[in-house]
Amino acid sequence: MMEPGSGSGVTSADLVLIVTADQRLQGELRARLHAVDVSSILVADIEAARSACARTTFAVVLIDLDSTNVHEALAYIATLRRGQPLSEVIALLAEPDFERSMLAMRQGACDIILKDAQHLGYLGPRVVALRGQVQTALERQLLLGDCSRMNE
């Protein structure tokens, strides 16, 4: 199986991947991201997420832990962090759950956001901030690569 981002795919620090099978949440997340001028790609399951990440490096990946198999999603977060270390992962939960939150953070999620209106209001600004961090890291990586080649 191909590691995320290991293919000859596209790198885009502008795109966000949304992984959820919940159709109501799909619309809500897309609307909130669109409101802050963030483009997204939507997939319904972890296997589709693997396929998308094999072709493209995403700035941020939003994973709904309620609509996917939790163990599969947690394993995928760890795989994603190894394969695309610059990508940030946000786990989404319907209600506070200490155990799942801690497991997601241990696997590499940078944030946990509850799926209610109050907390989803935080999503847009958080994704914009993370996307900016990823863009800066990618630019730094490219610059260091250029400097390294110049010194060879």
Side-chain angles (χ1 to χ4, degrees):
M1 179 176 292
M2 183 179 278
E3 288 289 310
S6 65
S8 59
V10 176
T11 298
S12 175
D14 294 326
L15 283 175
V16 171
L17 179 65
I18 300 170
V19 184
T20 182
D22 181 339
Q23 291 184 347
R24 182 199 57 78
L25 183 61
Q26 291 172 355
E28 173 104 19
L29 294 174
R30 282 204 131 157
R32 289 186 181 271
L33 293 175
H34 182 72
V36 292
D37 294 324
V38 173
S39 298
S40 61
I41 293 178
L42 177 66
V43 297
D45 58 51
I46 298 299
E47 198 54 46
R50 280 189 183 99
S51 177
C53 287
R55 295 184 308 271
T56 304
T57 299
F58 294 90
V60 180
V61 178
L62 306 175
I63 298 180
D64 180 4
L65 295 182
D66 298 315
S67 72
T68 58
N69 176 297
V70 175
H71 298 294
E72 187 179 8
L74 293 171
Y76 182 64
I77 292 171
T79 301
L80 182 65
R81 296 299 296 151
R82 283 191 307 273
Q84 293 186 12
L86 295 180
S87 296
E88 296 292 354
V89 178
I90 296 175
L92 304 168
L93 290 169
E95 56 188 45
D97 183 329
F98 180 78
E99 184 177 337
R100 287 192 298 165
S101 295
M102 289 310 303
L103 288 171
M105 296 297 270
R106 286 181 184 146
Q107 297 305 317
C110 68
D111 209 343
I112 307 294
I113 296 180
L114 297 179
K115 298 183 295 186
D116 60 35
Q118 176 185 358
H119 292 96
L120 284 178
Y122 170 70
L123 182 70
R126 182 67 174 138
V127 167
V128 169
L130 288 171
R131 189 178 67 167
Q133 291 173 10
V134 170
Q135 287 171 336
T136 300
L138 283 171
E139 289 169 4
R140 185 180 314 116
Q141 192 175 51
L142 289 171
L143 180 61
L144 290 173
D146 289 346
C147 289
S148 175
R149 283 188 295 281
M150 287 174 34
N151 289 323
E152 289 178 353

